[in-house]
Amino acid sequence: MASECIYYAWKYGGYYCNLANKEVDDDTVHRFCWTYYSDECPLRKNQSSSGCYITSACVRARGLPDNCLELETLRAFRDGYLASQPGGREDIEEYYAKAPKLVCAIDHSGKAESVYEKIYSEMVQPCVKLIQEQHLEKAYTLYKQYSVNLMQQFGI
C-alpha cells in the first residue's frame, strides 16, 4: 500500500490532479489518491480508466457524465450508508482492489459495450431506484450479489 498521493489537491471546487493537470473524479481519488494504491494510478501510468466498472457502465455504455445522477447517488450511498456499516469500509477497499482487474477483463473480453450496458440496466439502475426509495439494505444486497457474480464470470 502506497502513501497518500502527492499529486492531488482540492482545487476549483473539485479534486485536481497536478500531475495530469486536470480534474479527477471521486472514484479515482478514492482508489488511487487516498492511501490505497497511488503507485497504480492510471493517470500516473497514462491509462484512461478510473478502474471502476460502475463508472464505466454509466459513462461508456450510456454516455453519461461522471457527475450524473446515477454515479452521484451511488457515491453518496458508498460514502454515507455503506461506509458506516459494519464491514462497509472493508467492502469498499475490496471493490477498489478488484474493480480495476474486472474493468481490464471486461475491456479485453470483446464484448465490453454489451457487458457495461448489462451492468447499467441490471445493477446500476435498480440500485439507484432502491436507494431513492430508501431500501438501502436491498440496494447493497443487489450490488454485492451482482458484483460477486460478475467477478466469478470474469475469473477475478
Side-chain angles (χ1 to χ4, degrees), residues 32-86:
F32 300 110
C33 302
W34 296 349
T35 71
Y36 292 130
Y37 302 98
S38 64
D39 291 337
E40 296 176 26
C41 175
L43 296 172
R44 291 177 71 182
K45 291 182 167 186
N46 296 321
Q47 296 174 358
S48 61
S49 173
S50 70
C52 176
Y53 61 88
I54 296 171
T55 298
S56 296
C58 292
V59 175
R60 290 179 56 186
R62 289 298 175 107
L64 299 171
D66 184 67
N67 64 346
C68 65
L69 172 70
E70 293 88 335
L71 291 174
E72 292 298 313
T73 300
L74 292 169
R75 289 173 181 142
F77 176 76
R78 173 196 67 203
D79 295 339
Y81 174 79
L82 183 56
S84 69
Q85 298 302 303

Side-chain angles (χ1 to χ4, degrees), residues 5-19:
C5 180
I6 62 171
Y7 298 108
Y8 96 99
W10 179 261
K11 290 184 182 178
Y12 315 117
Y15 295 109
Y16 192 82
C17 178
N18 294 317
L19 184 65

Side-chain angles (χ1 to χ4, degrees), residues 38-136:
S38 64
D39 291 337
E40 296 176 26
C41 175
L43 296 172
R44 291 177 71 182
K45 291 182 167 186
N46 296 321
Q47 296 174 358
S48 61
S49 173
S50 70
C52 176
Y53 61 88
I54 296 171
T55 298
S56 296
C58 292
V59 175
R60 290 179 56 186
R62 289 298 175 107
L64 299 171
D66 184 67
N67 64 346
C68 65
L69 172 70
E70 293 88 335
L71 291 174
E72 292 298 313
T73 300
L74 292 169
R75 289 173 181 142
F77 176 76
R78 173 196 67 203
D79 295 339
Y81 174 79
L82 183 56
S84 69
Q85 298 302 303
R89 292 205 181 272
E90 290 82 6
D91 284 347
I92 293 167
E93 286 186 35
E94 179 181 12
Y95 176 87
Y96 285 106
K98 292 182 177 180
K101 295 174 188 156
L102 182 58
V103 168
C104 185
I106 293 170
D107 287 350
H108 290 90
S109 70
K111 54 184 178 177
E113 298 312 314
S114 65
V115 171
Y116 289 130
E117 178 61 39
K118 193 172 180 182
I119 293 168
Y120 182 84
S121 63
E122 294 179 356
M123 195 263 291
V124 171
Q125 280 185 316
C127 279
V128 168
K129 185 173 192 257
L130 288 167
I131 292 165
Q132 290 170 335
E133 295 170 352
Q134 295 299 306
H135 299 296
L136 305 182

